[in-house]
Amino acid sequence: MESRPKYYGREFHGMISREYADELLVGAEGAYLIRESQRQPGTHTLALRFGHQTLNYRLFYDGKHFVGEKRFESVHDLVTDALITLYIETKAAEYIAKMTTNPIYEHLGYTSLLKDKMVHRLSRGRTEPRRVTFQRDERISSPLVQRTALKDTPEKQCFYEKIHNFKVHTFRGPHWCEYCANFMWGLIAQGVRCSDCGLNVHKQCSKLVPSDCQPDLRRIKKVYSCDLTTLVKAHNTTRPMVVDMCIREIELRGMNSEGLYRVSGFSEHVEEVRLAFDRDGDKADISASAYADINIIAGALKLYLRDLPIPVITFDLYSKFIQSAKLPNAESRLEAIHESLLQLPPAHYETLRYLMAHLKRVTQLAKDNLMSSENLGIVYGPTLMQPPEQNALITLNDMRQQKLVVQLMIEHEDVLF
């Protein structure tokens, strides 16, 4: 047939009507053909006989064949998978609807192996965020001097929750869902697998799995550009190792360095440090014998924070911090920043708290290093917070507020955290 696309075979029947396709397939359960649409020439339809009726699906090809999310090397594989799915969903619809009502997830497999770790992890290394009420002290004339009243914040947990990073996966050989314990059917893309911890579940079950992902170090390929919470959970640390190790090295030998964090280290050496962390993790050598210039270590820390897929101040809280900085009243401004901080994911909060305490110590030596809280705010504003839309105009318009947010967090670190 001259009009047959090269990626179809004998199943292609040209431009025929839906009714004629039905006549050709009647009585042949599981049979199929491909026809060119009469209503939309150039588009193709898969006609499949199942359940004593002909089902019609718009068929696509982009190097692989598909009618939905799954993509197949051949039309034959697509039809085979469709027949399996149709049969199970037709014959076992009631069972499928009920199969998540009594999951094994809380009792077997993944959860039981991690239960003890989840209860105790990180609780010993992290202090609870404090909710603070800001009040002006009437005895002091300056409105920026604050008195704080502290109260507990029960809504913050001491362990780090992390959602699973599920991606569609094709399993070789029989597999059973680790949430509901039922068979995962189909030829390809039978379910989803968490790329961070390896949990295998049905796509519909993935919506019910709790946020208790415990990343497997074997699946974490790098340190830089890795999600912050994923990294700290995989290494069982309170903060990312890069933050701890770089700050420790800077405080050991670089706090008096003029222009600390403002002066750039040699970019090739900064890249070497990045590769060392990606390759060696917490065994990376960033000592003075390896990198005498402290600006290289400072540059590596800034690069790590800048390259996070989700910034330390997360995308969804960006606008709250920016709006907080725009408030005219100093007390209201700090109150709003504090409320926004409490909404950060725990690992992000702890990283920011530790960094701000360090930067506060940097400003205490500003006479030598010339880095005031304002100067550090200019450097760290766009590093710690980025708008959800990568728009240069928005970033430019928000630069003053970005700087002010970081400046205030440094100056009031002891109160805000």
Side-chain angles (χ1 to χ4, degrees):
M1 187 176 294
E2 291 184 5
S3 62
R4 181 173 64 198
K6 61 182 180 180
Y7 40 83
Y8 293 139
R10 291 187 303 168
E11 68 272 9
F12 184 75
H13 282 60
M15 188 179 289
I16 62 175
S17 66
R18 177 180 293 217
E19 291 74 21
Y20 184 49
D22 186 49
E23 288 179 22
L24 293 174
L25 296 174
V26 69
E29 196 74 358
Y32 67 95
L33 60 81
I34 297 171
R35 61 184 178 85
E36 184 175 359
S37 173
Q38 291 181 326
R39 296 179 181 177
Q40 295 178 291
T43 64
H44 301 96
T45 298
L46 171 68
L48 173 64
R49 192 72 181 180
F50 180 81
H52 307 294
Q53 60 180 325
T54 301
L55 307 174
N56 292 274
Y57 301 94
R58 177 79 175 273
L59 186 60
F60 301 90
Y61 181 80
D62 63 356
K64 291 188 176 181
H65 304 274
F66 62 100
V67 295
E69 292 181 348
K70 295 185 180 183
R71 283 167 163 72
F72 299 83
E73 296 291 343
S74 68
V75 175
H76 176 78
D77 286 347
L78 186 155
V79 171
T80 304
D81 185 82
L83 289 171
I84 293 171
T85 302
L86 286 168
Y87 183 85
I88 291 176
E89 291 181 350
T90 301
K91 303 295 183 181
E94 185 177 349
Y95 179 78
I96 292 171
K98 294 179 179 179
M99 70 183 189
T100 60
T101 57
N102 188 28
I104 64 161
Y105 187 76
E106 296 297 330
H107 311 291
L108 300 174
Y110 178 84
T111 301
S112 62
L113 290 173
L114 298 175
K115 189 172 182 181
D116 291 339
K117 292 181 181 179
M118 290 302 298
V119 170
H120 296 102
R121 72 180 295 96
L122 300 178
S123 59
R124 58 189 181 277
R126 180 174 184 269
T127 55
E128 286 290 297
R130 305 174 303 173
R131 183 175 295 281
V132 179
T133 302
F134 294 87
Q135 300 170 328
R136 183 182 303 179
D137 192 329
E138 299 298 340
R139 297 170 298 174
I140 302 175
S141 57
S142 171
L144 295 179
V145 179
Q146 308 293 332
R147 183 176 69 222
T148 63
L150 306 182
K151 60 181 179 180
D152 294 333
T153 22
E155 63 270 24
K156 278 286 183 180
Q157 301 298 315
C158 20
F159 60 86
Y160 294 174
E161 287 191 351
K162 180 189 178 306
I163 61 173
H164 290 270
N165 185 18
F166 286 120
K167 294 181 179 178
V168 174
H169 188 78
T170 295
F171 298 95
R172 304 302 177 192
H175 265 74
W176 282 261
C177 176
E178 294 176 50
Y179 182 81
C180 70
N182 288 284
F183 184 66
M184 301 171 78
W185 59 85
L187 282 188
I188 69 167
Q190 302 95 330
V192 293
R193 168 176 286 175
C194 177
S195 59
D196 293 334
C197 72
L199 182 68
N200 303 316
V201 295
H202 290 113
K203 185 177 179 181
Q204 61 267 41
C205 290
S206 68
K207 301 170 185 176
L208 303 174
V209 175
S211 300
D212 61 355
C213 176
Q214 175 56 46
D216 186 340
L217 269 176
R218 293 171 297 181
R219 297 177 180 274
I220 307 301
K221 304 301 183 185
K222 55 187 177 180
V223 171
Y224 277 64
S225 302
C226 176
D227 173 69
L228 195 156
T229 302
T230 299
L231 187 70
V232 298
K233 291 203 73 171
H235 288 271
N236 195 19
T237 58
T238 308
R239 294 171 298 275
M241 67 185 74
V242 180
V243 175
D244 277 4
M245 291 175 63
C246 287
I247 287 178
R248 190 182 309 126
E249 194 67 26
I250 290 166
E251 296 202 348
L252 181 67
R253 59 187 174 95
M255 295 291 276
N256 294 313
S257 178
E258 184 175 325
L260 181 63
Y261 290 118
R262 179 176 53 80
V263 177
S264 299
F266 191 42
S267 59
E268 287 189 10
H269 290 164
V270 172
E271 182 64 15
E272 284 179 12
V273 175
R274 182 186 72 80
L275 292 173
F277 275 115
D278 282 344
R279 182 183 63 248
D280 305 324
D282 58 5
K283 300 294 189 294
D285 182 9
I286 59 171
S287 63
S289 59
Y291 302 99
D293 183 4
I294 199 63
N295 294 312
I296 295 170
I297 309 304
L301 174 59
K302 289 189 295 180
L303 177 63
Y304 169 76
L305 296 169
R306 190 165 57 246
D307 280 0
L308 287 170
I310 301 175
V312 176
I313 292 178
T314 56
F315 291 126
D316 56 342
L317 289 173
Y318 176 85
S319 61
K320 287 191 175 183
F321 278 92
I322 293 297
Q323 293 307 314
S324 299
K326 291 180 179 179
L327 294 174
N329 180 271
E331 294 169 6
S332 300
R333 196 184 304 142
L334 287 178
E335 197 63 83
I337 290 175
H338 179 67
E339 289 298 321
S340 299
L341 286 170
L342 292 176
Q343 297 176 51
L344 285 172
H348 288 243
Y349 177 94
E350 177 58 30
T351 300
L352 191 60
R353 182 196 67 78
Y354 189 76
L355 178 64
M356 291 303 112
H358 162 67
L359 295 180
K360 181 73 170 284
R361 293 190 288 273
V362 172
T363 64
Q364 291 168 353
L365 297 171
K367 185 178 178 181
D368 297 318
N369 59 41
L370 306 182
M371 294 304 290
S372 64
S373 59
E374 183 176 5
N375 290 339
L376 289 169
I378 293 170
V379 172
Y380 268 101
T383 299
L384 295 175
M385 52 194 305
Q386 302 163 26
E389 310 84 15
Q390 297 302 314
N391 186 305
L393 185 60
I394 293 176
T395 302
L396 189 63
N397 290 337
D398 291 347
M399 281 184 68
R400 182 177 176 278
Q401 284 75 37
Q402 290 176 348
K403 185 255 317 180
L404 185 57
V405 166
V406 175
Q407 180 182 343
L408 290 173
M409 287 193 297
I410 295 171
E411 292 173 353
H412 301 278
E413 168 269 332
D414 56 332
V415 168
L416 289 172
F417 292 92

